[in-house]
Amino acid sequence: VAKNIDIFTRVYKEIAFNYVDEINPEKFLRAGIKGMLSSLDPYTIFIDEKRKDDIELLTTGKYGGVGITIGIRDDKVTIIELMDGYSAQRQGLHIGDAIVKVDSVIITKDNFEDISLHVKGEPGSFVNLTILRNDNDTLLFNLVREEIVIKNIAYCGFFPENSNNLYIKLTGFNR
């Protein structure tokens, strides 16, 4: 292990200091980490210090947010799920709403990966979302961040009723 770390360090230093073009050392290191992890299973990922909320979510099932799940639809960052009882649902956001801005940050599919850094935050604080609805209505929502608790089991019930057939919808794993 020590020999391999030494080789990695020497290659990193040599390229960082002597490469023909200027490189971003942090981005270069992160690419190396990503490359190493890509040789493993798809579930082994690196979560850096900027994403401490993601670590808390993975370990406790809780985070400070507004209760939305987002994805890319038709090249737009779109709300694909609203969690029952949280700020986004109570304020009237809809599934299919496109997020145009979070506070003063313009959101595109290119910075989609960083949106949680802007939406998530300390419970009790506020975040402004500019939404495009039906491709022509621009709406502004001022949402309060709350402690979001992710439930591992979204549904559990017998079907048909009074039978021995139990259906469980498992949506995640945490402690």
Side-chain angles (χ1 to χ4, degrees):
V1 171
K3 180 182 175 187
N4 288 326
I5 289 173
D6 182 53
I7 291 169
F8 183 84
T9 303
R10 284 190 285 144
V11 170
Y12 175 78
K13 282 182 183 177
E14 186 67 31
I15 292 173
F17 291 127
N18 298 317
Y19 189 67
V20 65
D21 293 324
E22 192 168 326
I23 63 163
N24 178 331
E26 183 179 352
K27 193 173 181 180
F28 183 57
L29 179 66
R30 303 247 186 256
I33 293 169
K34 189 174 184 179
M36 284 189 292
L37 296 180
S38 71
S39 69
L40 304 174
D41 63 83
Y43 306 105
T44 303
I45 59 170
F46 174 69
I47 302 174
D48 67 11
E49 64 278 356
K50 294 176 190 169
R51 299 195 182 267
K52 68 179 177 131
D53 290 341
D54 291 344
I55 295 171
E56 190 167 321
L57 172 61
L58 289 171
T59 57
T60 67
K62 300 176 186 176
Y63 67 96
V66 296
I68 59 174
T69 303
I70 58 168
I72 302 289
R73 301 291 181 268
D74 299 325
D75 289 335
K76 294 178 189 153
V77 178
T78 306
I79 297 173
I80 58 173
E81 182 182 1
L82 289 168
M83 296 176 198
D84 288 337
Y86 292 108
S87 186
Q89 183 192 43
R90 289 194 316 271
Q91 292 288 329
L93 276 102
H94 297 164
I95 291 174
D97 285 347
I99 301 174
V100 179
K101 265 199 309 192
V102 177
D103 290 327
S104 62
V105 179
I106 296 173
I107 302 299
T108 66
K109 68 178 184 173
D110 297 327
N111 64 357
F112 162 74
E113 296 292 326
D114 296 329
I115 192 169
S116 67
L117 297 174
H118 304 293
V119 175
K120 291 179 182 176
E122 191 66 33
S125 62
F126 288 87
V127 62
N128 292 308
L129 296 184
T130 304
I131 298 295
L132 181 63
R133 184 172 288 166
N134 300 326
D135 290 329
N136 57 3
D137 295 328
T138 303
L139 307 167
L140 180 64
F141 291 87
N142 186 20
L143 304 171
V144 64
R145 293 179 180 105
E146 303 170 73
E147 183 177 87
I148 307 293
V149 179
I150 303 296
K151 297 176 184 164
N152 290 328
I153 297 177
Y155 170 80
C156 176
F158 288 94
F159 185 83
E161 218 171 295
N162 300 323
S163 74
N164 290 328
N165 302 320
L166 178 66
Y167 287 87
I168 300 172
K169 181 178 181 186
L170 184 63
T171 56
F173 292 94
N174 63 37
R175 286 187 187 165

